[in-house]
Amino acid sequence: MKSNLVLIIFLCLINFISLKISTNTNLRHEEPILGMSEIEFTSNNDYFELKGENVISQISWTKSGDYKYNYLLGIFEGANDPSFSDAIPIAMIKEEGRLNEVNIIDLKIAQSYKYVRYIPPNNNKTAITPVKFYGQGNSGSSEGKAFQVTNLPLVSIRVDNSAFPENKDQEFNCKVTIVNGGKVENNEAATIKIRGKSTSMASDKKPYTIKFATKQQVLGLEGSYKKWTLIANFYDRALMRNAIAFKISQLMEFEYTPRCNPVDVILNGNYRGNYYLCDKVEIGKTRINIDKMEKTDTSEPNLSGGYYLEIDGGESFYGGKSNKSPKGIEWKVREPKEDDITQEQSSYIINKFNKFETEVYSGVFDSMDLETYSKFFLVEEFCGDPDAVWSSFYLTKKRGDDKFYFGPVWDFDLGFDNDQRLTPTNDKPQFAFTYGASAGTMKDFTQKLVGYKTVMGSIQKTWERLVSTNLNEKILTDFIDQLKEKIKESAELNYMKWDNIVKPKNPWGWDFGGFGRNNENWDTAVNRVKDYVSKRFNSLTNLIKTAVSSAN
């Protein structure tokens, strides 16, 4: 008794108060004098009720098994409702720890909690007993911050009833908490669903669309909107190809380039890895800035726009509906949406697209904006996108304007030498688009376009202007170096979660990112992209010169 009393007095003197737990029938434990010990966690519903509200300042845990995937990336959550509907991550096990020895996690968090639970990675059986929590009563530290996994912002998503989105047809209510710089910037009701086609179908690391209940600005990205996307970059082992492509688009002075920030994502207490929180590509004042059609817009001039289209071979490939031009290009109207577009609007834009196609095959360019086409073509070719004429080929038609405008750019995870159909891109004798898939006859249509001196002259002029002003090797390689440093810790944790850095995934027989690169580390993956970028300036310049010389 005396020894226990002395120990309690000593802990009080150093300002650490042990937090006792109440009995929970789901747990097997002894009632300790100082915190928690000898606890077996059996499911995500097990929790500990603390004595009052407490600000946790330290967690000690002991590794009782040597299989690291039972505990590495495990999450501790705090809550003030026993249902954990308001749960928020407070700590993560990011190191392997020492077997049968006490391991310490220090916290500097401001929030107080009544309940605590541990969620093992992938819902594996835990191997970290005994666990103890220590705190400072119910008053937080003046330096207290909300938890972040790394230096990057944290997006924590709590789906109602802990449901887990598994296919594109499911949409769930959730709460999204975004922590940046140690502060909660957004804590809002939303819905979540899986987005995309190939990544969502083939990978375990799913991309998502988040739709807030009310318009939100997130992470300083321009504009307030309901819809935002979480890009998984699962096939991109460097975790930066889309960000580099967007940087190139900005340097090429597109009217709109999708904005994004790298983040860490936790879903229902499960760490999901490194993502990019990005704009949803849609009509909006700071997104695609064209008029939004109403159902009453059935006559000129309102009938003339705006329309947001996509050349997309994937829609029909995956069983969806799309249009087909007289020459066989597969395309669809993204906005107005399928449920909103009227018959008059549909007929109008189909006729305009068919007229555009007919004119190009006749050597007439009255229906296309050559400047935006030149920039769009250059971004796709610089990045070596094998899907350049397959999908994510966006174009718009403005109200009161007969021309089609090209952009924004999107989806480059297979670019920069990351697809065996094209790699090594810089050694290929033809433009990148000729080696990839085609949305119907879109490849033939593009080949026709770049065979005209008018078009190739515009592309060459645009390229020469850009490389003499905004766009050069140093700007891009510096950007890669800075981004690498920024996401370094997040990338390391991402590849603790996902094994595609050492074992590339191969969903359809195409070796996305493979080519014998098994067991490649992240540094090497980034350096491959950087080397590609350095060489692409000369190789693309030569391709453009050759195409100009042979154009008619």
Side-chain angles (χ1 to χ4, degrees):
M1 286 293 295
K2 288 183 180 180
S3 61
N4 286 339
L5 181 61
V6 170
L7 182 55
I8 292 172
I9 293 172
F10 174 75
L11 289 174
C12 290
L13 288 174
I14 64 172
N15 201 31
F16 275 88
I17 302 172
S18 173
L19 308 179
K20 294 180 68 176
I21 64 172
S22 66
T23 302
N24 184 300
T25 56
N26 292 326
L27 304 176
R28 294 192 299 103
H29 66 85
E30 298 176 358
E31 190 74 21
I33 296 174
L34 297 172
M36 311 171 189
S37 65
E38 302 301 328
I39 302 164
E40 181 178 337
F41 299 82
T42 56
S43 78
N44 284 6
N45 294 321
D46 293 346
Y47 65 90
F48 304 100
E49 183 177 350
L50 307 178
K51 188 176 182 180
E53 289 191 17
N54 296 271
V55 177
I56 299 169
S57 56
Q58 191 176 75
I59 301 173
S60 69
W61 62 281
T62 301
K63 181 171 108 176
S64 58
D66 206 26
Y67 184 58
K68 65 182 181 180
Y69 296 108
N70 279 352
Y71 58 87
L72 198 59
L73 306 180
I75 300 286
F76 292 93
E77 290 186 326
N80 287 307
D81 187 305
S83 70
F84 278 74
S85 60
D86 62 340
I88 190 169
I90 60 172
M92 173 191 277
I93 297 176
K94 297 193 285 186
E95 298 178 352
E96 292 191 27
R98 301 176 301 277
L99 185 62
N100 296 323
E101 294 185 31
V102 174
N103 301 279
I104 301 296
I105 303 174
D106 288 312
L107 289 74
K108 287 186 177 180
I109 55 176
Q111 301 97 321
S112 58
Y113 299 102
K114 291 182 181 179
Y115 307 97
V116 181
R117 71 179 176 186
Y118 171 71
I119 300 180
N122 304 315
N123 296 321
N124 291 329
K125 183 178 179 182
T126 187
I128 61 163
T129 57
V131 177
K132 297 183 181 181
F133 295 85
Y134 299 95
Q136 299 169 311
N138 60 4
S139 59
S141 165
S142 60
E143 299 178 357
K145 297 180 179 181
F147 170 73
Q148 290 173 232
V149 175
T150 69
N151 58 298
L152 297 183
L154 170 65
V155 179
S156 177
I157 304 165
R158 173 67 50 191
V159 181
D160 289 3
N161 301 315
S162 296
F164 213 93
E166 294 180 347
N167 63 64
K168 291 183 65 177
D169 297 328
Q170 297 174 310
E171 186 170 13
F172 296 97
N173 293 325
C174 65
K175 175 169 275 190
V176 178
T177 304
I178 300 177
V179 181
N180 185 27
K183 296 181 179 180
V184 176
E185 293 187 347
N186 305 82
N187 188 31
E188 304 292 335
T191 60
I192 184 173
K193 64 182 296 185
I194 292 173
R195 65 167 304 279
K197 298 184 182 76
S198 60
T199 309
S200 61
M201 291 180 64
S203 71
D204 295 325
K205 186 186 180 188
K206 304 295 187 185
Y208 302 104
T209 294
I210 293 170
K211 183 180 180 181
F212 288 105
T214 59
K215 292 181 178 180
Q216 301 288 316
Q217 184 178 34
V218 300
L219 299 178
L221 300 178
E222 189 174 354
S224 293
Y225 295 92
K226 289 185 177 182
K227 291 183 179 181
W228 300 84
T229 60
L230 284 167
I231 306 302
N233 292 321
F234 186 70
Y235 298 135
D236 172 14
R237 294 192 286 177
L239 301 174
M240 60 174 60
R241 283 175 165 84
N242 279 306
I244 297 169
F246 294 157
K247 179 66 173 179
I248 294 167
S249 174
Q250 291 169 354
L251 293 170
M252 288 191 178
E253 300 173 339
F254 268 81
E255 182 177 344
Y256 166 61
T257 296
R259 306 167 188 92
C260 66
N261 264 331
V263 297
D264 296 301
V265 171
I266 293 176
L267 177 61
N268 292 338
N270 289 272
Y271 173 69
R272 305 302 293 172
N274 175 274
Y275 279 71
Y276 282 74
L277 178 60
C278 300
D279 290 350
K280 165 72 173 173
V281 179
E282 62 181 353
I283 295 175
K285 287 187 177 180
T286 61
R287 292 182 175 176
I288 298 176
N289 188 15
I290 60 175
D291 290 288
K292 194 171 184 68
M293 301 286 287
E294 302 291 342
K295 288 189 175 182
T296 54
D297 295 331
T298 56
S299 61
E300 298 273 14
N302 289 9
L303 181 62
S304 64
Y307 296 92
Y308 160 36
L309 316 178
E310 180 183 6
I311 309 297
D312 185 14
E315 191 68 25
S316 61
F317 183 83
Y318 293 108
K321 297 179 181 179
S322 63
N323 300 308
K324 183 171 284 191
S325 69
K327 292 285 189 179
I329 298 173
E330 295 181 16
W331 64 283
K332 65 181 180 182
V333 181
R334 293 189 67 93
E335 291 192 61
K337 296 186 182 300
E338 184 178 348
D339 292 339
D340 298 325
I341 193 167
T342 68
Q343 183 59 51
E344 293 89 347
Q345 292 164 358
S346 179
S347 297
Y348 175 88
I349 195 61
I350 288 173
N351 289 335
K352 285 294 183 182
F353 188 90
N354 292 346
K355 178 175 179 285
F356 160 53
E357 179 191 62
T358 299
E359 288 180 352
V360 167
Y361 275 96
S362 302
V364 177
F365 313 107
D366 293 344
S367 296
M368 65 180 292
D369 179 69
L370 280 174
E371 181 182 357
T372 55
Y373 180 77
S374 297
K375 291 193 288 189
F376 188 89
F377 180 85
L378 287 168
V379 175
E380 295 286 343
E381 284 298 320
F382 188 95
C383 299
D385 182 11
D387 289 340
V389 293
W390 164 251
S391 65
S392 301
F393 187 117
Y394 299 138
L395 58 162
T396 59
K397 187 185 176 301
K398 302 175 183 179
R399 182 169 294 174
D401 189 332
D402 280 339
K403 291 183 182 294
F404 284 101
Y405 292 80
F406 298 82
V409 300
W410 186 257
D411 194 5
F412 293 88
D413 56 340
L414 298 186
F416 302 89
D417 272 358
N418 201 36
D419 189 301
Q420 70 175 10
R421 292 170 293 178
L422 188 54
T423 302
T425 309
N426 287 313
D427 292 343
K428 296 297 184 185
Q430 298 182 56
F431 287 123
F433 79 86
T434 63
Y435 298 94
S438 178
T441 58
M442 186 60 187
K443 188 183 294 187
D444 296 336
F445 180 80
T446 306
Q447 196 73 65
K448 189 73 174 177
L449 272 170
V450 298
Y452 291 119
K453 280 193 179 296
T454 301
V455 176
M456 279 311 309
S458 175
I459 291 171
Q460 183 180 47
K461 182 179 179 180
T462 303
W463 175 246
E464 290 175 348
R465 176 179 63 81
L466 289 167
V467 297
S468 66
T469 54
N470 297 5
L471 187 64
N472 60 59
E473 179 184 348
K474 186 177 188 308
I475 289 175
L476 290 184
T477 54
D478 284 352
F479 176 79
I480 292 170
D481 289 340
Q482 292 162 9
L483 184 58
K484 180 182 179 183
E485 184 62 29
K486 183 177 183 178
I487 69 172
K488 180 178 180 181
E489 184 182 0
S490 181
E492 291 173 353
L493 295 175
N494 183 84
Y495 290 119
M496 290 182 191
K497 173 71 176 179
W498 307 106
D499 66 351
N500 59 313
I501 192 69
V502 296
K503 185 181 179 182
K505 303 306 178 184
N506 185 5
W508 300 289
W510 298 335
D511 194 3
F512 292 152
F515 326 109
R517 298 177 190 171
N518 290 357
N519 301 308
E520 178 176 79
N521 61 38
W522 180 63
D523 282 336
T524 303
V526 172
N527 288 337
R528 285 185 185 277
V529 174
K530 189 175 178 180
D531 181 64
Y532 170 91
V533 166
S534 296
K535 294 176 179 177
R536 191 57 176 161
F537 284 91
N538 285 336
S539 65
L540 184 53
T541 297
N542 291 334
L543 286 171
I544 292 170
K545 287 179 179 178
T546 301
V548 168
S549 66
S550 60
N552 298 314

